[in-house]
Structure formats: structure tokens, C-alpha cells
Amino acid sequence: MPKVGMEPLRRKALIDATISAIGERGSLDVTMSEIAGRAGVSSALAHHYFGAKEDLLAATMRHLLSELLIDTTAALRVAETPRARVSAVISVNFSEKQFRAETIAAWLAFYVEAQKSPALRRLLRIYAHRLQSNLMSGLTRLLPRTDAEHVAEATAALIDGLYIRRALRDGIPNAASAIALVEDYLETKLSQAARAR
């Protein structure tokens, strides 16, 4: 008889194990058996909860997106100015929870796999749209719309690029330097716009 209430805990354990396995391997070349072992459940139970490995990978990516959305929403809720909204979005993307070595490796692996997986490509498009929208929520009050779109796109590219660069290094991710780099770009663009007025 299955224990009542265990399914959400086991699903979460399997998703965490997936992130851990991808982070260690640096690719999606992990087996359901390996993931199940890390989660402390049988391979059969992992298949029962998620079906095929591709379904577990998609669930893992949805989980990462959901965590990022929750954190971003909370940060934007307390941001009191348009400029603070943009900084909040940047900070969340480099927070201790988001900018961990295994999470970074998982994102990079998902980007690679999205080239051949329509489901993962769709999830990455959702991520990109949300990031652009969240950045625009502050930038449109600081810059003309066309300029705001350009700065939001470049800021998002910097965030994604810093994840890629970080995935290629060893050691603990340096969130403070990543935030400083993106903030420096943003401040430069805002100062240029203010001088042009």
C-alpha cells in the first residue's frame, strides 16, 4: 500500500536528483535508473511518476521555471521603483538558489537539448518571454519603448551568457560579479539615455 502524501515528495526528490545528475554529468546523458538511485526510489517508481526520461526532463525544466517565476514575482512585489524592478529581476537570476553549479549545468543542458526537442524549446521560449516581460516592467518607465526593448534584450542576453560562461568554469559561481557586470551595462545605458534628453 503506498504511503499517503508521498507522491509529491518523491516527485520532488526525482526532480532534485535529475538536476544533481545533470549538474554532475554536464549533460542530459543520465538514465532513469541513475536518477531514481539518487532519489532513493526504484526505477519502476520513477517511470510510474513520470513515464519516459524525456517526461522527467520536461518536468524538471518546468520546475526550474516555476521556481524562477516564484522568486521573481516575490522580488518584484517589493521593488518600489522602476529601476528597482529591473535590479530585482537581475538579482533573482543570480540568487544563491538560482545560480548554483548544478542548476547552471541543467540550464545549459536544456539549451542544448532544446535544439532537437520541441517540448524543451517551447519551455525555453516561455522563459525568454517572461524574462523580457519582467525586465520591460521597469524599463518602459525609464526609457522610450524601443530603447527599453533593446536594453531588455541585451540584459537578458548578458544573463544567459553569464550562465553559459559559468557552466564552463570550475568552482563556486560568483553571483556578485555577474550582477555587477549586468548592472554596469544597465547603468551605462540609462545614463546615456538621460544625457540624450
Side-chain angles (χ1 to χ4, degrees):
M1 206 61 186
K3 293 181 183 174
V4 176
M6 287 302 290
E7 182 175 348
L9 296 175
R10 288 182 176 148
R11 283 180 172 272
K12 175 73 166 72
L14 284 161
I15 286 170
D16 289 344
T18 303
I19 294 168
S20 172
I22 292 169
E24 188 176 294
R25 186 78 49 85
S27 77
L28 300 183
D29 187 26
V30 294
T31 65
M32 282 293 266
S33 179
E34 180 185 349
I35 292 167
R38 284 176 183 257
V41 301
S42 70
S43 184
L45 195 58
H47 283 286
H48 170 73
Y49 287 143
F50 290 102
K53 182 177 99 170
E54 292 71 27
D55 298 321
L56 175 56
L57 294 176
T60 300
M61 187 155 182
R62 282 192 301 274
H63 170 77
L64 291 173
L65 282 168
S66 176
E67 291 287 309
L68 184 58
L69 176 62
I70 289 166
D71 293 350
T72 303
T73 301
L76 288 174
R77 196 175 297 124
V78 296
E80 296 181 358
T81 66
R83 180 65 176 88
R85 289 182 70 80
V86 181
S87 288
V89 174
I90 293 166
S91 292
V92 165
N93 278 275
F94 296 109
S95 69
E96 187 177 318
K97 184 176 173 185
Q98 298 295 331
F99 203 56
R100 307 177 291 145
E102 60 269 14
T103 304
I104 293 166
W107 275 107
L108 186 60
F110 285 130
Y111 264 95
V112 171
E113 188 66 18
Q115 302 308 304
K116 56 188 174 189
S117 167
L120 293 183
R121 188 176 304 119
R122 184 183 64 79
L123 291 173
L124 280 174
R125 283 187 184 135
I126 290 169
Y127 155 74
H129 176 74
R130 281 183 188 163
L131 180 55
Q132 181 81 5
S133 176
N134 288 328
L135 290 167
M136 288 292 286
S137 73
L139 289 170
T140 53
R141 294 184 235 160
L142 300 169
L143 297 166
R145 180 141 194 108
T146 303
D147 293 344
E149 287 171 353
H150 175 78
V151 171
E153 185 175 351
T155 302
L158 278 170
I159 291 168
D160 291 345
L162 286 165
Y163 266 70
I164 291 168
R165 283 185 171 231
R166 180 58 203 106
L168 301 174
R169 292 188 188 148
D170 293 327
I172 297 168
N174 187 339
S177 68
I179 290 169
L181 188 75
V182 180
E183 287 285 350
D184 183 58
Y185 163 76
L186 183 61
E187 200 52 47
T188 298
K189 298 310 278 184
L190 292 174
S191 295
Q192 288 173 351
R195 285 195 302 272
R197 286 182 196 147

